[in-house]
Amino acid sequence: DQQVKQNSPSLSVQEGRISILNCDYTNSMFDYFLWYKKYPAEGPTFLISISSIKDKNEDGRFTVFLNKSAKHLSLHIVPSQPGDSAVYFCAANQGGGADGLTFGKGTHLIIQP
Amino acid sequence: NAGVTQTPKFRILKIGQSMTLQCAQDMNHNYMYWYRQDPGMGLKLIYYSVGAGITDKGEVPNGYNVSRSTTEDFPLRLELAAPSQTSVYFCASSGNRVGQFFGPGTRLTVL
């Protein structure tokens, strides 16, 4: 049973436009959420995170929004650049982080020139 | 800093063989993790460690063993390899909850 769901396997966005990647979760005990970016043949790279006490966190072109009542979070990338083409994983954690992350299946973002 | 390093990068095993995947980190992180990623899937936690001498099972531990004798190293042992263990294996480390740092992965094929 998937506790973190990314329902869009792929997303194509034009360069310069906004990319919005979505993630839903079912476990109400999750209190920390992270986005990772992954290029082929490399390990995932941490991108941005948000605690459940916040509803928004911003870092440069990347913003993560959290809607706890809907158990939904989204990653906004503005403006989208060719180097943003990668697989994006949503991940979640509960109660301190020591026992690892629960990942979604990922969304392959393709930035079109 | 090299970050998290993993060896080997690729390996082909025959059914029933054993091997150890090596993982080392030079960031003095207490927490270390092993994940596997199957095609089209997210990463799944195999084992984790909160410090030297302490390990615990994750979501998919069957067929694997780990040890943590030092802060730096966290090897993953596969005994009696099976085709179901064909996957990409990622090691990660963390000093806090901000995020885990991942190694480049080991691609394992069991034939």
Side-chain angles (χ1 to χ4, degrees), chain A residues 31-32 36 46 93 96-97 101 104, chain B residues 33 35 42 48 97-98 100 103:
Chain A
D31 59 359
Y32 204 75
Y36 280 83
F46 170 72
N93 172 271
L101 299 171
Chain B
Y33 308 87
Y35 294 88
Y48 67 98
R97 294 185 67 182
V98 173
Q100 294 179 10

Side-chain angles (χ1 to χ4, degrees), chain A residues 6 11 19-23 35 72-77 88 107-109:
Chain A
Q6 294 178 257
L11 175 67
S19 294
I20 300 176
L21 294 90
N22 293 304
C23 176
W35 284 94
H72 176 83
L73 62 154
S74 61
L75 174 68
H76 293 211
I77 306 173
Y88 289 78
T107 296
H108 185 194
L109 176 64

Side-chain angles (χ1 to χ4, degrees), chain A residues 31-32 34 36 38 41-46 49 89 93-106, chain B residues 31-33 35 37 40-45 48-50 59 90 96-105 107:
Chain A
D31 59 359
Y32 204 75
L34 307 92
Y36 280 83
K38 186 182 181 304
E42 294 184 10
T45 303
F46 170 72
S49 64
F89 290 99
N93 172 271
Q94 67 182 76
D99 56 351
L101 299 171
T102 301
F103 282 84
K105 290 185 178 181
Chain B
Y31 307 129
M32 294 189 75
Y33 308 87
Y35 294 88
Q37 185 190 14
M41 303 294 288
L43 284 72
K44 293 191 175 180
L45 184 66
Y48 67 98
S49 168
V50 300
E59 184 184 356
F90 291 102
N96 54 44
R97 294 185 67 182
V98 173
Q100 294 179 10
F101 293 85
F102 283 81
R107 185 175 295 274

Side-chain angles (χ1 to χ4, degrees), chain A residues 4-38:
Chain A
V4 177
K5 299 178 185 178
Q6 294 178 257
N7 292 321
S8 298
S10 66
L11 175 67
S12 185
V13 174
Q14 206 164 8
E15 182 179 354
R17 308 292 284 265
I18 183 171
S19 294
I20 300 176
L21 294 90
N22 293 304
C23 176
D24 298 294
Y25 62 96
T26 58
N27 187 343
S28 57
M29 299 299 292
F30 287 145
D31 59 359
Y32 204 75
F33 304 90
L34 307 92
W35 284 94
Y36 280 83
K37 177 180 179 179
K38 186 182 181 304

